């Protein structure tokens, strides 16, 4: 039974719940970025780790790299555990996995605020990654079983608007709560405030009913997948090109997003940390919200005319974004905010289309594992390594050079997505039968 637009009854409630969860997911991720410089002052005080009086850089050039490792701690556990939960997501109740994950990461986030040392903080960020690993590869597959192929681009775009909105709220919330709490360790409250809503959302998940796998894919019968079935995913050209493009994009976006508050406030004089977090948060939410929705709609609308439309709109957006990110590194503030806005818009434009590609070219029996493998690859070679790299470059040179270095990944992403265009129509058609015989 479906509604007039092809959705399964109860699909909109599930979409709303997963959207809220995803919102707090990205709030939690970017709260760390918003308060990173305050955390550094707590665990690496200047009286013990002095700065050069002229350059204002730390005399120990590895401190920024270690701060970047806080992001790596989350990403490493997230990407390494995601395949396990992807495997489980193909076999057991996905809502149960989501509920467990949300509660775990909410508690771990609160523990981040309680951390008494850098090592303990590092470990709590690892636990946040474990919690999100239970959620990340599973949530899109629930939506894929609730909405038909013709609607997935728009639906997944709606789901992923939580990325810019949540990220922006993370920057704003982190900055505002830290200022409100006051004191040298007011940053701890930024982690505390996300715990209660996370726990409530996690409990709600246990009340949801898991949809049958493949029910929104006409004529598809899901079954228990074998190891040979998973190998089929690695032989799907669209999946491979899409994952390589997402990896390059994640490398650039993850590194820049982590360091942007410090870069704009300390190196470029764009204002206080609170002002920068607020301005950057507004830019991310407005540009990201518009781009994520428009990207999903554009992919769906162009699909009848261009068989590789989801790849095409993503590749064009990344190509157009590259010169704007370069200009933002040299144009003085406040004018640089305009170029950052356009670059963010181009980055977020691909969110809906690229995640729709994964859903459309994989069989429902292996879809959760396909998302999990994608998570592993894009983070292992993307934003798990780029923040420390930028931090290390900053220690020996400056952050502008670090940003410039990673920005060329925009072009690599565009190339991979252009290459994937010719394969998408065939891979989508074969997906319902693409399991090992």
């Amino acid at each position: 039974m479906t509604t007039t637009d092809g959705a399964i009854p109860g699909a909109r409630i599930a979409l709303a719940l997963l959207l809220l969860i995803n919102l707090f997911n990205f709030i939690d991720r970017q709260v760390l970025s918003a308060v990173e410089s305050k955390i550094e002052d707590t665990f690496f005080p200047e009286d013990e780790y002095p700065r050069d009086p002229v350059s204002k850089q730390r005399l120990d050039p590895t401190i920024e790299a270690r701060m970047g490792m806080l992001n790596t701690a989350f990403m490493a556990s997230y990407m390494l555990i995601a395949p396990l939960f992807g495997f489980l997501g193909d076999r057991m109740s996905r809502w149960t996995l989501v509920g467990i994950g949300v509660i775990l990461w909410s508690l771990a986030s609160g523990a981040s605020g309680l951390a008494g040392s850098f090592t303990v903080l590092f470990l709590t960020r690892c636990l946040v990654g474990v919690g999100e690993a239970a959620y990340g590869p599973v949530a899109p597959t629930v939506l894929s079983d609730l909405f038909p192929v013709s609607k997935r681009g728009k639906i997944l775009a709606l789901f992923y608007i939580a990325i810019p909105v949540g990220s922006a709220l993370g920057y704003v919330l982190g900055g505002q709560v830290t200022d409100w709490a006051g004191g040298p360790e007011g940053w701890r409250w930024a982690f505390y405030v996300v715990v209660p809503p996370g726990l409530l959302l996690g409990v709600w998940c246990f009340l949801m009913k898991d949809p049958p796998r493949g029910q929104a894919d006409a004529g598809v019968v899901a079954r228990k997948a074998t190891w040979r079935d998973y190998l089929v995913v690695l032989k799907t050209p669209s999946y491979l090109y899409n994952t390589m493009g997402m990896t390059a994009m994640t490398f650039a976006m993850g590194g820049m997003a982590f360091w942007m508050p410090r870069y704009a406030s300390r190196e470029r004089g764009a204002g206080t940390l609170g002002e920068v977090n607020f301005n950057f948060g507004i830019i991310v939410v407005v540009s990201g919200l518009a781009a994520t929705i428009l990207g999903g709609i554009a992919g769906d609308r162009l699909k009848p005319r261009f068989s590789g439309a989801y790849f095409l709109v993503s590749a064009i957006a990344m190509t157009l974004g590259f010169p704007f990110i370069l200009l933002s590194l040299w144009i003085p503030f406040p004018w640089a905010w305009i170029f950052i806005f356009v670059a963010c818009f181009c980055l977020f434009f691909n969110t809906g289309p690229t995640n729709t590609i994964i859903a459309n070219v994989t069989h429902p029996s292996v879809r959760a594992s396909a998302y999990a493998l994608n998570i592993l690859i894009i983070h292992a070679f993307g934003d798990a390594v780029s923040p420390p790299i930028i931090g290390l470059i900053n220690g020996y040179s400056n952050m502008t050079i670090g940003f410039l270095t990673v920005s060329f990944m925009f072009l690599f992403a565009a190339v991979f997505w252009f290459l994937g265009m010719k394969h998408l129509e065939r891979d989508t058609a074969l997906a319902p039968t693409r399991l090992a015989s």
Side-chain angles (χ1 to χ4, degrees), residues 92-131:
M92 62 178 288
S93 170
R94 290 166 290 182
W95 279 114
T96 298
L97 290 175
V98 172
I100 292 171
V102 175
I103 291 173
L104 176 58
W105 99 52
S106 298
L107 293 174
S109 183
S112 296
L114 294 171
S117 69
F118 182 83
T119 300
V120 172
L121 180 60
F122 184 91
L123 293 175
T124 62
R125 299 313 293 175
C126 289
L127 290 175
V128 172
V130 173

Side-chain angles (χ1 to χ4, degrees), residues 42-94:
T42 296
F43 295 124
F44 301 101
E46 292 192 21
D47 57 344
E48 297 181 32
Y49 303 88
R51 298 179 182 274
D52 182 277
V54 177
S55 67
K56 304 301 181 182
Q57 298 284 76
R58 295 279 190 170
L59 295 178
D60 181 350
T62 66
I63 289 178
E64 278 78 11
R66 279 186 273 179
M67 292 302 300
M69 289 296 291
L70 289 175
N71 188 70
T72 302
F74 160 79
M75 287 300 173
S77 60
Y78 177 49
M79 69 190 185
L80 292 175
I81 303 298
L84 170 62
F85 285 108
F87 180 82
L88 294 174
D90 288 327
R91 287 165 169 74
M92 62 178 288
S93 170
R94 290 166 290 182

